[in-house]
Amino acid sequence: MGQEKGYLALVLHAHLPFIKHPEYPDFLEEDWFYEAMVETYLPLLNVFENLTAEGADFRLTMSVTPPLCNMMSDPLLISRFQHYLNQRVELSEKEIERTKGTEFAAVAQMYYDKFRRFKHLFEDVYHCHVLEGFKKFQDMGKLEIITCGATHGYLPLMVHKESVNAQVKIAANDYRLRFGKSPRGIWLGECAYNPGDDKFLRDEGIRFYFMESHGVLHGTPRPKYGIYAPVYCPQTGVAAFARDMESAQQVWSAESGYPGDARYREFYRDLGYDLDYDYIKPYLHSDGVRRNIGMKYCKITGKVPLNQKAAYNPQEAREIAAEHAGNFMFNRQKQIEYLATLMDRKPLVVSMYDAELYGHWWYEGIEFLEFLFKKIYYDQTDIKLITPMEYLEMYPTNQNVQPSMSSWGDKGYHDVWLNSGNDWIYRHLIKSAERMTELANRFPNADGLLKRTLNQMARELVLMQSSDWAFLMTTGTAKEYSTKRTKDHVKRFNELYEQIKHNRIDEGYVYNLETRDSIFQQIDYNVYSSAAKDKVLNQYK
């Protein structure tokens, strides 16, 4: 340990639901992935490359969830993303000409430079496989990549523990396949913890997970250090790290948070709507409907209508991002300095965010992070960036506390994922899980077409269990799509179930689903067997 007074663990949760539609040339919800790649994931890797080239050390913990890993590795989605990126390069090149001598010239140049840099990283440095990039920084010890439930399933609402076991096991196996080692940490979907579920984490060698503050604060007994040190789950010794709300508010809050600064880029005004139709048409979907294309030329400006937003100034915004990073660091120094006087060990502040806040929603968030990493490295000695694993190695002895059931959703419990707008899905999720276990118990050693069919049923089940669908039904952002996705997976699952029950498996039907819902190529339906679940639980009798 050095002379630092305490530690900061920055945690980014990188997740998207698995969306792939080979049956259409382009698909609105598929764009979520391409946008995230060009606005959050490649820019983050670019920051890691810059810091490493400069010799500035940094630490970051990041979940790259299994659905996202599967999308980042899918040949069809990779080729579609490449097309998306090349279109951005082409358009930004045209824009340099069009904006010459106007107030938008600097922002057009900025996009052109960035898109070309990301294209170089994607194609030449990572050979179209961004997971190579993330793995590289994990192997260097600067990044701790953690897993998540297989499809970000909402574990506390899974009545059958076979499903909880399967969500954890499928994820851990997928992680090993991609990163060449076992995951040491997990992001529970929506930070939703149910007492006892840590047994399934422990069985996969997972050492820690994250919770919303009240999950630890309402634990039994009460935690001696509050949320500023991890606690161990009593039966398993898995560590729970709690979220610090003070640092979260500074970034998240719409009123007092940094992203609302008037000089930052305006998210809601986009060239897809602003430019002459014939000029922009080649960059829209094949239906020709105007939509966001991710190039935005205006700044927030203030509370004025969208058509009165002023031109964005990249240099000015960059300076503000540096100022905000300095302010964030100063606040953490003061916070840790104070906490250090109250504790007999060095305090840990855990700052957790959705990764897409940085770059996608808050465009300058990426620069903010780069400045923050540099300032912490060069400008002070009070705080040090750390990963949860490094903290546990430093302080292996921790208090035993049984954390309480909780989530980081609105109101802190299950409300967002179980309410009158989406409760109809659960009878289907529960019945499907029951049927999956029934068949896994009945056919422990299936092979050939039966095995493929059972594996595909397992895929359809994990896909329908994704917490994203219930969430989107609640927020209303993609209600139609999430409702359709849930119903489609239920329908496909039941069709496969009937085919097995009546001994009339249709190989063409199975093949069609394997190419469409192609997540988890290595899945093994036996993770749903009761024997697999009992094996875990019997260790704690």
Side-chain angles (χ1 to χ4, degrees):
M1 285 186 243
Q3 73 280 48
E4 64 276 352
K5 294 174 184 153
Y7 301 96
L8 173 64
L10 281 176
V11 186
L12 297 186
H13 174 48
H15 169 64
L16 278 171
F18 185 79
I19 296 178
K20 175 186 170 187
H21 290 279
E23 69 275 26
Y24 299 103
D26 39 37
F27 199 85
L28 174 65
E29 283 79 9
E30 228 175 60
D31 277 2
W32 296 348
F33 173 61
Y34 312 136
E35 287 169 9
M37 285 283 283
V38 85
E39 292 169 355
T40 297
Y41 307 130
L42 283 168
L44 272 175
L45 285 166
N46 188 43
V47 167
F48 303 161
E49 295 285 354
N50 294 347
L51 293 167
T52 307
E54 192 181 302
D57 196 17
F58 68 95
R59 287 290 179 282
L60 182 67
T61 304
M62 195 169 165
S63 67
V64 186
T65 67
L68 190 53
C69 286
N70 276 265
M71 288 162 81
M72 286 174 168
S73 316
D74 186 274
L76 176 72
L77 294 176
I78 289 172
S79 68
R80 287 183 173 184
F81 170 66
Q82 216 166 350
H83 172 68
Y84 179 94
L85 187 54
N86 286 330
Q87 276 200 319
R88 299 298 173 277
V89 174
E90 183 189 302
L91 176 60
S92 60
E93 201 165 357
K94 285 188 191 169
E95 280 295 278
I96 290 180
E97 281 309 303
R98 191 187 69 82
T99 57
K100 234 184 209 141
T102 72
E103 55 181 346
F104 297 119
V107 63
Q109 183 68 47
M110 172 198 78
Y111 281 118
Y112 178 65
D113 294 342
K114 283 193 175 178
F115 291 147
R116 278 189 53 207
R117 168 71 176 153
F118 300 153
K119 179 178 161 69
H120 165 69
L121 273 183
F122 185 67
E123 294 177 353
D124 308 331
V125 181
Y126 306 133
H127 317 292
C128 299
H129 290 284
V130 287
L131 288 178
E132 267 186 34
F134 287 112
K135 183 177 187 303
K136 170 170 126 180
F137 293 105
Q138 163 137 304
D139 293 344
M140 286 167 71
K142 296 177 184 299
L143 181 66
E144 171 98 45
I145 302 171
I146 61 174
T147 190
C148 183
T151 50
H152 209 263
Y154 198 88
L155 302 186
L157 294 176
M158 290 185 188
V159 177
H160 300 94
K161 290 299 172 192
E162 285 85 353
S163 279
V164 177
N165 188 36
Q167 281 275 341
V168 175
K169 286 211 164 14
I170 293 167
N173 287 332
D174 193 69
Y175 184 101
R176 291 182 193 108
L177 184 75
R178 301 185 191 288
F179 299 107
K181 56 189 252 187
S182 289
R184 302 193 292 186
I186 191 168
W187 180 281
L188 299 174
E190 319 296 0
C191 291
Y193 171 73
N194 196 37
D197 285 354
D198 44 284
K199 293 169 187 170
F200 298 103
L201 309 184
R202 182 75 224 198
D203 195 58
E204 286 302 313
I206 291 169
R207 299 283 308 278
F208 63 89
Y209 68 96
F210 297 94
M211 296 190 78
E212 185 54 281
S213 335
H214 62 279
V216 167
L217 290 176
H218 295 172
T220 317
R222 288 182 63 178
K224 178 182 174 187
Y225 301 118
I227 57 172
Y228 300 108
V231 297
Y232 285 144
C233 296
Q235 279 190 294
T236 60
V238 177
F241 287 82
R243 179 183 187 209
D244 168 57
M245 281 316 287
E246 193 182 316
S247 54
Q249 283 304 103
Q250 276 175 326
V251 180
W252 274 125
S253 164
E255 285 72 48
S256 57
Y258 304 132
D261 192 284
R263 292 156 292 189
Y264 282 151
R265 190 187 78 164
E266 171 58 63
F267 180 82
Y268 292 102
R269 185 163 167 191
D270 189 284
L271 289 192
Y273 296 93
D274 281 355
L275 293 179
D276 180 69
Y277 182 69
D278 290 329
Y279 175 79
I280 197 73
K281 189 169 185 281
Y283 306 99
L284 301 172
H285 282 191
S286 46
D287 61 9
V289 175
R290 284 189 184 269
R291 49 168 48 87
N292 282 350
I293 57 160
M295 291 171 70
K296 305 161 200 288
Y297 281 6
C298 294
K299 56 182 171 185
I300 292 171
T301 315
K303 294 210 184 309
V304 297
L306 276 184
N307 62 1
Q308 287 170 31
K309 302 281 182 181
Y312 178 68
N313 178 340
Q315 191 47 41
E316 174 188 49
R318 192 173 159 78
E319 284 161 15
I320 300 305
E323 207 175 285
H324 283 153
N327 175 261
F328 185 87
M329 179 176 81
F330 173 79
N331 290 336
R332 299 294 72 72
Q333 285 171 285
K334 290 293 166 212
Q335 184 183 13
I336 281 168
E337 193 179 302
Y338 172 68
L339 290 168
T341 63
L342 307 175
M343 292 170 63
D344 54 10
R345 56 153 79 191
K346 294 185 180 183
L348 171 71
V349 171
V350 180
S351 294
M352 293 155 43
Y353 309 94
D354 275 328
E356 281 188 43
L357 172 68
Y358 294 90
H360 175 64
W361 295 106
W362 173 23
Y363 184 65
E364 299 76 10
I366 295 287
E367 288 175 314
F368 168 89
L369 284 176
E370 187 165 356
F371 284 126
L372 180 63
F373 287 138
K374 285 184 180 176
K375 285 174 187 287
I376 288 176
Y377 181 71
Y378 290 116
D379 297 354
Q380 57 82 52
T381 53
D382 299 330
I383 56 177
K384 211 171 156 185
L385 289 167
I386 200 168
T387 64
M389 214 50 231
E390 288 173 323
Y391 193 85
L392 289 174
E393 279 158 10
M394 207 180 283
Y395 295 107
T397 308
N398 290 286
Q399 187 183 1
N400 278 344
V401 172
Q402 177 55 64
S404 75
M405 184 190 71
S406 54
S407 86
W408 80 337
D410 187 35
K411 304 192 184 70
Y413 297 95
H414 307 329
D415 199 47
V416 175
W417 298 274
L418 177 58
N419 54 63
S420 58
N422 59 22
D423 57 6
W424 61 270
I425 70 176
Y426 288 98
R427 70 190 78 163
H428 301 288
L429 297 186
I430 290 166
K431 187 68 189 167
S432 302
E434 216 166 84
R435 289 180 150 187
M436 188 73 238
T437 295
E438 170 206 327
L439 293 185
N441 291 346
R442 189 172 146 201
F443 301 107
N445 304 307
D447 56 12
L449 183 56
L450 176 60
K451 182 180 178 178
R452 276 173 57 195
T453 310
L454 287 163
N455 283 342
Q456 192 56 36
M457 283 182 73
R459 282 189 197 100
E460 301 299 338
L461 177 55
V462 286
L463 285 168
M464 81 173 83
Q465 286 175 334
S466 165
S467 74
D468 303 271
W469 313 136
F471 177 80
L472 292 168
M473 287 173 202
T474 299
T475 59
T477 29
K479 192 168 182 172
E480 237 171 275
Y481 179 74
S482 45
T483 303
K484 184 178 178 341
R485 274 295 294 270
T486 304
K487 289 179 173 174
D488 284 350
H489 292 305
V490 171
K491 206 162 84 206
R492 292 167 196 165
F493 179 92
N494 285 331
E495 176 56 37
L496 294 170
Y497 177 79
E498 293 302 327
Q499 289 188 10
I500 290 177
K501 288 291 269 192
H502 297 101
N503 208 3
R504 50 170 177 83
I505 300 174
D506 175 349
E507 184 168 7
Y509 182 73
V510 174
Y511 174 77
N512 177 25
L513 295 185
E514 286 171 332
T515 48
R516 182 187 309 189
D517 298 331
S518 58
I519 196 168
F520 303 129
Q521 293 293 303
Q522 317 285 325
I523 201 166
D524 174 5
Y525 70 91
N526 279 300
V527 290
Y528 279 100
S529 75
S530 300
K533 170 209 67 175
D534 294 339
K535 188 170 157 257
V536 177
L537 297 182
N538 288 339
Q539 301 167 43
Y540 300 98
K541 289 255 165 92

